[in-house]
Amino acid sequence: MTHAVTPPAPTSVPTGTTPVLEARGVFRFRTADGKQLPIVRDVSFSLRAGEFATIMGPSGSGKSTLLHLLAGLDKPSAGQVLLTGQDLGGGDEEYRAAIRRTRIGFIFQFFHLLPDLTVEENVTLPLRIAGENPKKHAARIDSLLQLLGVDKLRKRLPVALSGGEMQRVSIARALSTQPPLVLADEPTGNLSSKAGEEVVSLLRQVCTRLGSTILLVTHNPRDAAAGDRVLFLHDGALRDNQELTGGPFLVADVFSRLQELGI
Ligand SMILES: Nc1ncnc2c1ncn2[C@@H]1O[C@H](COP(=O)(O)OP(=O)(O)OP(=O)(O)O)[C@@H](O)[C@H]1O
Ligand SMILES: [Mg+2]
């Protein structure tokens, strides 16, 4: 039996101008070979409501580490992460877990669906963990399953799904509590090119139709091209004034920017 923890009340009421997510001078150091090395270095940026942003960077550039910090799964060594104006570092692990459960949806490379639960049970699990009765949200969950094209699969177990179907189910799960922020770590990394393209196009639709704010981390230029904005991470740092804005982009434009930046 899971006991719901009431999420802490926001310290400030978000307004139209409060960013959904804000990183302020975030650092993360790790110890390797007896030395303290910066894995994430002085990262600052903010995301507006309804933005679909991507962070690109080569393997080892710190993308997953940064995403974990933004999600409150890990604490910055210095700096702050604010979610709808509320400092994620302002409390203990229980406080961060309560925020994560209701205000952040996660999409992982390897789906992380529970094998013994049906599609529908997996999708509504975050609601039940948050102490909600899924029946009260039935109409919304139905339209979510339809939007993701998995409504006919609702009674199936994950073992009977393709990779693309599993990822679409995990997107529906990430959205089930209507979180202000959705974070995705390489959501197409384990999919065929075609299934990956479908998943990214669905994320685009989710952003447009539901007004979700999405931050997707990837090293795939095609995924990044679907976003409104691309930030480039090198050795744990975002370089000033190098982001692409005004997307969706042509994949060729993302490629040429990567070449200009030498990454
Ligand atoms: N727990 C850890 N302890 C020490 N070093 C770590 C730890 N986790 C990651 N690192 C190091 O931090 C750096 C960034 O790792 P991270 O996983 O964030 O990169 P990434 O950009 O997500 O890479 P990929 O594209 O391969 O997923 C790497 O050099 C990695 O070896
Ligand atoms: Mg990674």
Side-chain angles (χ1 to χ4, degrees):
M1 177 73 198
T2 310
H3 295 279
V5 175
T6 308
T11 48
S12 62
V13 177
T15 67
T17 54
T18 304
V20 169
L21 179 71
E22 188 176 2
R24 290 186 187 160
V26 170
F27 283 83
R28 182 68 170 92
F29 291 89
R30 293 202 191 278
T31 308
D33 306 325
K35 287 186 199 149
Q36 284 277 93
L37 298 175
I39 304 296
V40 169
R41 295 186 288 144
D42 200 13
V43 167
S44 297
F45 72 97
S46 61
L47 282 188
R48 289 191 317 276
E51 259 192 313
F52 180 1
T54 64
I55 294 183
M56 285 206 80
S59 186
S61 57
K63 302 184 298 297
S64 295
T65 306
L66 175 60
L67 208 66
H68 286 182
L69 294 165
L70 299 175
L73 286 163
D74 187 14
K75 275 186 116 166
S77 310
Q80 277 182 310
V81 177
L82 295 103
L83 183 67
T84 57
Q86 189 167 16
D87 187 355
L88 277 185
D92 57 11
E93 173 47 33
E94 193 178 352
Y95 166 95
R96 287 200 299 280
I99 291 180
R100 284 199 301 270
R101 275 199 287 275
T102 52
R103 306 223 200 128
I104 303 176
F106 292 97
I107 302 163
F108 301 95
Q109 180 174 355
F110 294 102
F111 325 125
H112 293 219
L113 297 175
L114 294 184
D116 297 332
L117 300 186
T118 64
V119 162
E120 191 167 34
E121 289 164 344
N122 266 289
V123 168
T124 55
L125 187 61
L127 283 172
R128 279 177 278 138
I129 290 175
E132 296 271 340
N133 179 354
K135 286 190 184 142
K136 283 193 188 158
H137 301 266
R140 189 171 55 77
I141 297 296
D142 276 355
S143 55
L144 200 49
L145 293 173
Q146 277 173 31
L147 175 63
L148 274 311
V150 292
D151 50 313
K152 303 232 163 26
L153 309 175
R154 63 172 73 214
K155 298 296 174 204
R156 287 206 199 165
L157 291 173
V159 70
L161 302 177
S162 71
E165 287 165 347
M166 282 196 243
Q167 196 57 302
R168 285 186 271 137
V169 170
S170 81
I171 295 171
R173 176 186 56 187
L175 295 166
S176 69
T177 58
Q178 299 181 280
L181 178 67
V182 175
L183 299 174
D185 193 357
E186 304 269 6
T188 66
N190 200 35
L191 300 179
S192 69
S193 178
K194 182 168 174 291
E197 213 165 315
E198 278 168 15
V199 158
V200 169
S201 134
L202 281 167
L203 286 171
R204 179 81 246 175
Q205 287 182 48
V206 159
C207 198
T208 309
R209 293 208 205 166
L210 307 181
S212 305
T213 307
I214 301 178
L215 179 62
L216 183 154
V217 152
T218 184
H219 56 241
N220 186 332
R222 187 206 57 207
D223 294 359
D228 299 314
R229 183 175 162 201
V230 192
L231 296 99
F232 297 93
L233 195 70
H234 321 236
D235 295 332
L238 293 175
R239 287 195 207 147
D240 284 347
N241 304 322
Q242 290 192 337
E243 67 177 77
L244 281 174
T245 55
F249 310 95
L250 294 174
V251 180
D253 291 341
V254 179
F255 263 118
S256 58
R257 180 54 68 97
L258 285 169
Q259 276 184 338
E260 276 166 37
L261 299 175
I263 55 178

